[in-house]
Amino acid sequence: NFTNWINVGNQTNALTPDNFPSNLNNNNAKTIYVSSTGSDDNDGLTASTPMLSIDKAINKFKGAYVLQISLSAGEYEVSGTFSSFQQLHIYGAGKSTTILNVSETFAFSYGEISIQDLTVNYVGTSDITNLVSFGRNGMLRAHNIYIKNLTNYNVNTALITDCSTGIISNIKFFGKFNRAIHVNYSELRIINCSKDTDCVLNYGIYSNNTSIVTENCSQALGTNGRANGGAILSTDGSTKYDEWNPRMITLRTATPTSCANGAIVAVYE
């Protein structure tokens, strides 16, 4: 959809990590504190009475219109799918200090979802399809995150999203994945994403019927990408979308090394 592509590419009105919509001043908003030294018997309403488990904190206050989970530094065990939220915001104390150890897909469905300043670390004992998954019909903000698979098991996709719109920024990948980012049916900005020196990726960005803008990603994630429909604006050039049938690929300053038959390619300075 060319119109959608133009809207996503409009740098004046596009989402940034700092202007993501939030209604935390809403009367029904709740901020819940969680600490690796806390207790699930605590109410979680103050930093001095934190809960212990992220999933229990979320489920306890599931009826809140806006729920913010504030995580202190430490390691947490996380499992399950979190759903039926209007807004859910999860903030860590830092991507090197707040670590979520997950043994299955860390999944969110529906609503406005924001996660930032933490590490998602796969510790499972089997192959899985997706490590971090965001469902449809919502808005996504994933910012300042390490995503790791340091096991010997296969993880097909590090981060997959079906959200309607949003931003993925400052994500760094460690270990082994088939795909770093898989985007379905979305209007999305992907900014400043990279991989560790030893990270093994077959594909950096995998796009399916989307309108996306990528900035400062292609060199860092590697040049391979896959596109099936939609419109792609790569402002840093050189990403190779070499599969299926992208409707439009626009690259700044660099000619694509290969594109699917029938793609419309524009190169501009």
Side-chain angles (χ1 to χ4, degrees), residues 72-252:
S72 65
E75 295 196 21
Y76 302 86
E77 306 300 319
V78 183
S79 63
T81 298
F82 304 109
S83 62
S84 301
F85 281 93
Q86 294 294 325
Q87 293 187 29
L88 175 62
H89 306 265
I90 301 178
Y91 297 90
K95 58 187 178 182
S96 298
T97 58
T98 299
I99 301 171
L100 310 188
N101 293 318
V102 301
S103 56
E104 57 185 352
T105 301
F106 184 38
F108 302 86
S109 61
Y110 302 102
E112 179 182 303
I113 307 297
S114 174
I115 64 171
Q116 71 173 67
D117 300 326
L118 49 81
T119 289
V120 178
N121 180 41
Y122 183 58
V123 295
T125 56
S126 62
D127 298 343
I128 62 171
T129 303
N130 305 310
L131 181 51
V132 184
S133 175
F134 299 95
R136 293 188 178 185
N137 303 322
M139 182 177 288
L140 166 65
R141 177 181 185 266
H143 176 64
N144 206 37
I145 299 170
Y146 288 155
I147 299 181
K148 299 182 178 183
N149 173 29
L150 303 181
T151 73
N152 292 322
Y153 296 99
N154 295 318
V155 177
N156 185 53
T157 303
L159 188 157
I160 185 169
T161 176
D162 294 314
C163 287
S164 301
T165 189
I167 183 168
I168 297 172
S169 57
N170 294 77
I171 310 296
K172 189 170 184 177
F173 302 91
F174 297 78
K176 181 177 70 172
F177 302 96
N178 182 33
R179 308 165 184 167
I181 300 171
H182 182 156
V183 184
N184 287 319
Y185 307 102
S186 302
E187 299 175 19
L188 204 69
R189 296 182 76 200
I190 304 174
I191 305 172
N192 297 327
C193 294
S194 62
K195 65 177 182 176
D196 183 63
T197 304
D198 296 326
C199 181
V200 177
L201 293 174
N202 289 327
Y203 298 98
I205 298 173
Y206 190 104
S207 170
N208 180 35
N209 288 301
T210 63
S211 300
I212 63 174
V213 173
T214 68
E215 303 171 38
N216 300 323
C217 292
S218 62
Q219 293 291 346
L221 284 179
T223 59
N224 285 337
R226 278 189 171 183
N228 176 31
I232 299 161
L233 169 60
S234 178
T235 64
D236 48 4
S238 77
T239 295
K240 180 176 67 176
Y241 291 93
D242 61 358
E243 301 283 345
W244 300 353
N245 184 30
R247 304 291 192 272
M248 176 177 292
I249 297 177
T250 304
L251 304 176
R252 177 179 292 169

